[in-house]
Amino acid sequence: MAVVGRACLIIAFAVTLYGIGAAIHGARPGNRRFAESARRAVYATAGLITFAFVILEIAFLRSDFSFATVATHSSTTTPLFYKAAAAWSSQEGSLLLWAFLLSVWSSVVLTITRGRLRDVTPYATAVLLGFAAFFIGLLLFSASPFDTVAGGAPAEGTGLNPLLRHPSMMTHPIALYSGYTLAAVPFAFAIGALIARRIDAEWIAATRRFALASWLALGIGLLLGARWSYVELGWGGYWAWDPVENAALLPWLTATALIHSVQIQEKRGMLKIWNVSLTLATGTLAIVGTFLVRSGILDSIHAFVEQGNTIAWAFTGLIAIICAGSIGLVVSRRALLASEHRIESLLSREAVFLMNNLVLVAITFVVFWGTFFPLISEALTGTKHALGPPWFGKYIVPLSIILAVLSGIGPLLSWRRATAVNTRRNFVIPVGIAVAAVAVSLALGSGHRPAAVLMFGACAFLLGCVGQEFWRGAGARKAMSGESLPVALVSMVRRNRRRYGGYLVHAGVALLFVGIAASSAFQHVTTPTLQVGQTTNVGGYAIHYDRPTAGISTHDGRLEKINLGSDLTVRKNGKFVTRLHTERGYYPTDDASLGVVGRYFEGEQTSEVGLKAGAARDIWSVISPDTDPLKNVIAQGDKVFGNAKNLPPQMGAALLGQAITGIVDRYKRNPPPAQFRFIVSPLVTWIWLGALVILFGGVISIWPPPGGATRRVRAAYMARVGRESAATTQ
Amino acid sequence: MEALIIILALAVVVWVVSGPLRHGEDPEVAEAGRRAALDAAKDAKYREIRDAELDWRTGKLSDEDYREQDRRLRAEAVEILRELDRLSS
């Protein structure tokens, strides 16, 4: 079926090229049927790419090693769950996933906007098909998922990189790529609006949900990536300012700014140039993000990505075209992008939203500079210099504190101009809560970390603002409808999803910031080497190395990995707290030069973290066993099995299995000292909780109101407007 | 078998994409699109009216500011309704 997959890509490529031409031709008056044909070209592309993607997925699920990408990224010992995910662990599979998702979202938006935005849509269609053509072109000419193995399919594949065998890897890439591809939709419509000179709010209204969906998907991707880093990578952190992590954060930041500032254009006809620029920046950064992930030009924890020079050059060309085109269009349409109103007062929601936007853009700039600094320094000095977490923290921490404060202030002010009396009344309670939070954290001895204390105060203020909004809104609803307070609260959120979903997002951000500030500022780390029976102390906890563990994991009768680990007991002030188990997994490698036995110990390694998570603090542990004492016996095994090549295969496999079991048992009987890493971090759980609240708020914001509720609301306001209509007619 | 699937896929794609060129545009689609745009604008305006009311009830807008905003928004909504009426007639 590889031939069919390749044919689908060839036909899809031809269809996208035709569609681009038809869309541009269809934008002219009288050629509408060509624009309609271009729209159908998008549907056809989606159908073909979906078919190609299904063919590749089936090849992975069936372990069809005649496909080169299946042979190099999967194996018969790879669990079924991960076989499905292995498709996008490869360069070619992930590019196909990009093209698949893009074609699906393009089809959805063109169906929704069918008949609307008739001047804008043809150009937007051409842009979306242009993106599709680029990625399908890469799949055809640079990284084909349908290449076959010369000389027939091998009996076994290389297997999925062990680091990627984590549940979040099933969804993390899909979420990130969904975010990237969804960002292409507003980008395409912004380009269309600029070309067609239709810079009103209609294109924003048509694509606002896609921008929000992109923001939401990127957020989910970032959350899953952070969680994977925390429990899988074995260093104990959730965020390392890694270039690939940053690549997803950049469009998320600009999308966050965009979601806020589009409201100002919708309400007041202001910030048109700002919104268009943010939309174009988000779309461009999404492509930059894909480029960073797939090109491997920057050193990253995503070291499993293959380096690809052809792809790097192709992306550089695309990004250059996008940047030049976007800037040229914005400059040439600057007169049309002028605001219809001015900001009347600094004490207005639009003024605070704008300040909030400026902070978000400043953070984006810091992250961008820090991410690309290695490339910039290499270009200027010939040496790559990376900027580490302390450099990022120096700028991001104060900017985040300001952001938290502004996020609280904005919703408490009215549009246009807030009166001093209303402002005073609205801020008394949140400011009181902030002062109390600062006092409590100082009383608890946090004074030596002033940035963390300020962040606690800012987040308490933000939570106070959100809580007050919910309380007053529900109170107003109760007074209007006579419902009980809980019912009024639910119906208030149902009827104002965008507003209260947004407030929930703000509350989630506050929880997340508190978690980050506390776990960064008040973390305790130690990396002792312990013998069995020894104890170490960290953050007020005593951790005792009880016993070593050792075992072999098999899948379908084949050795999947060797596990060497430890059981630990944690006590505080002599009282039992919890037991932890941590281990290191050793996956076999195909490299025969490492020896018949040695290759089972010298392949990829993964860490299984021993974690006790709690609302107040996490106790995190990881082991790095010392396998040096086993080297002699492994070398002996290599020698013995190297000289016994004439053994029948079944007998050889059985003896090899016994030998490996023997080595593993030897480790368990005579465990050498092991190195550990123990971390006690306060409030890490708040990060995951905050992220979930953000996602929940995002889903509420994006979820369309139920048809019945819309009709009821529409009827109520229509009646009022109808009375107005009658009055003005008379 | 593979050749048959490829030919079939190609035929379906050509048939789908060339449809509008063979039949021309459906005039109802154009009118429905204009109506949908106005409906969306109308819903957005009602949402603005509701938002202003909520701001007033939660103490962010003074009575005077609210009355002025509400009057202006309703006038804009009336314009949209009239345009919808014109489209219907």
Side-chain angles (χ1 to χ4, degrees), chain B residues 50-68:
Chain B
R50 195 172 68 231
D51 278 354
E53 186 181 347
L54 196 56
D55 276 352
W56 171 61
R57 288 189 182 276
T58 51
K60 279 171 237 162
L61 275 177
S62 65
D63 292 354
E64 189 187 338
D65 283 348
Y66 170 61
R67 271 196 299 275
E68 191 274 323

Side-chain angles (χ1 to χ4, degrees), chain A residues 60-287:
Chain A
F60 268 96
L61 292 174
R62 292 178 57 204
S63 293
D64 183 349
F65 299 128
S66 66
F67 285 65
T69 188
V70 180
T72 50
H73 291 87
S74 188
S75 64
T76 54
T77 59
T78 304
L80 187 70
F81 179 74
Y82 293 119
K83 277 183 185 170
W88 49 82
S89 72
S90 67
Q91 181 85 296
E92 46 280 1
S94 72
L95 291 173
L96 183 60
L97 176 67
W98 217 103
F100 163 66
L101 292 169
L102 175 75
S103 63
V104 170
W105 306 134
S106 302
S107 302
V108 171
V109 74
L110 291 178
T111 302
I112 291 172
T113 57
R114 191 181 175 198
R116 291 167 58 191
L117 291 161
R118 291 164 68 84
D119 304 336
V120 175
T121 308
Y123 295 115
T125 307
V127 174
L128 290 169
L129 284 169
F131 280 131
F134 175 81
F135 280 92
I136 297 168
L138 287 180
L139 290 166
L140 281 175
F141 305 117
S142 181
S144 173
F146 298 109
D147 280 350
T148 48
V149 178
E156 182 56 287
T158 309
L160 178 65
N161 185 317
L163 280 176
L164 302 179
R165 296 181 193 199
H166 184 268
S168 66
M169 282 303 105
M170 185 76 184
T171 43
H172 166 72
I174 292 184
L176 282 186
Y177 276 24
S178 292
Y180 289 151
T181 48
L182 282 161
V185 170
F187 176 91
F189 276 78
I191 294 283
L194 286 168
I195 296 174
R197 298 171 187 271
R198 283 283 309 276
I199 326 281
D200 50 28
E202 198 179 347
W203 72 270
I204 286 181
T207 60
R208 189 185 65 82
R209 278 212 162 81
F210 287 87
L212 199 52
S214 168
W215 173 88
L216 192 60
L218 286 171
I220 293 170
L222 288 166
L223 167 68
L224 293 172
R227 184 70 192 169
W228 171 70
S229 175
Y230 189 58
V231 299
E232 189 70 18
L233 287 188
W235 66 287
Y238 42 79
W239 191 262
W241 296 108
D242 179 82
V244 173
E245 292 175 337
N246 297 349
L249 182 63
L250 287 167
W252 187 84
L253 287 166
T254 50
T256 308
L258 177 67
I259 289 163
H260 287 87
S261 64
V262 291
Q263 294 180 47
I264 305 176
Q265 184 169 345
E266 286 176 317
K267 297 270 183 192
R268 306 224 48 220
M270 295 163 64
L271 301 188
K272 289 179 187 172
I273 196 164
W274 185 252
N275 287 326
V276 161
S277 302
L278 281 176
T279 306
L280 297 178
T282 304
T284 308
L285 288 171
I287 297 291

Side-chain angles (χ1 to χ4, degrees), chain B residues 34-88:
Chain B
R34 178 69 190 139
R35 175 169 287 281
L38 282 171
D39 274 335
K42 183 181 68 180
D43 286 345
K45 200 54 69 182
Y46 290 159
R47 200 166 47 238
E48 277 191 72
I49 296 171
R50 195 172 68 231
D51 278 354
E53 186 181 347
L54 196 56
D55 276 352
W56 171 61
R57 288 189 182 276
T58 51
K60 279 171 237 162
L61 275 177
S62 65
D63 292 354
E64 189 187 338
D65 283 348
Y66 170 61
R67 271 196 299 275
E68 191 274 323
Q69 269 195 35
D70 189 53
R71 192 180 305 122
R72 179 176 51 79
L73 288 169
R74 274 190 286 162
E76 288 167 2
V78 166
E79 270 311 304
I80 296 170
L81 287 178
R82 282 185 181 150
E83 208 167 328
L84 270 168
D85 282 345
R86 274 197 292 275
L87 200 65
S88 301

Side-chain angles (χ1 to χ4, degrees), chain A residues 588-607:
Chain A
T589 169
D590 288 338
D591 187 352
S593 69
L594 293 168
V596 181
V597 180
R599 75 181 190 87
Y600 286 93
F601 291 86
E602 298 293 332
E604 292 280 353
Q605 299 173 18
T606 59
S607 293

Side-chain angles (χ1 to χ4, degrees), chain A residues 32 37 40 267 469 720, chain B residues 16-17 25 51 60 70:
Chain A
R32 188 68 211 166
S37 174
R40 290 193 178 205
K267 297 270 183 192
E469 277 299 289
R720 282 181 56 199
Chain B
V16 167
V17 173
E25 195 197 4
D51 278 354
K60 279 171 237 162
D70 189 53

Side-chain angles (χ1 to χ4, degrees), chain A residues 537-573:
Chain A
N537 293 297
V538 56
Y541 291 87
I543 302 180
H544 184 257
Y545 181 6
D546 296 336
R547 70 188 67 82
T549 61
I552 294 171
S553 302
T554 55
H555 187 82
D556 287 343
R558 290 167 182 255
L559 190 148
E560 188 189 0
K561 65 172 174 171
I562 294 165
N563 306 302
L564 303 179
S566 64
D567 285 334
L568 307 160
T569 301
V570 182
R571 290 187 173 82
K572 186 170 179 118
N573 300 326

Side-chain angles (χ1 to χ4, degrees), chain A residues 356-444:
Chain A
N356 163 305
N357 260 232
L358 292 173
V359 173
L360 282 165
V361 171
I363 294 174
T364 307
F365 180 76
V366 170
V367 176
F368 188 88
W369 180 260
T371 304
F372 284 92
F373 188 76
L375 288 184
I376 296 165
S377 64
E378 189 178 28
L380 295 177
T381 66
T383 314
K384 264 188 186 178
H385 293 287
L387 296 172
W391 182 87
F392 282 96
K394 197 161 61 179
Y395 300 99
I396 300 293
V397 170
L399 286 168
S400 300
I401 293 171
I402 297 169
L403 187 68
V405 173
L406 290 174
S407 302
I409 294 174
L412 296 192
L413 300 177
S414 62
W415 296 102
R416 296 182 69 184
R417 193 186 315 109
T419 62
V421 176
N422 286 350
T423 306
R424 237 188 338 267
R425 195 177 57 214
N426 287 334
F427 282 97
V428 168
I429 293 173
V431 168
I433 291 172
V435 170
V438 169
V440 168
S441 54
L442 287 174
L444 290 173

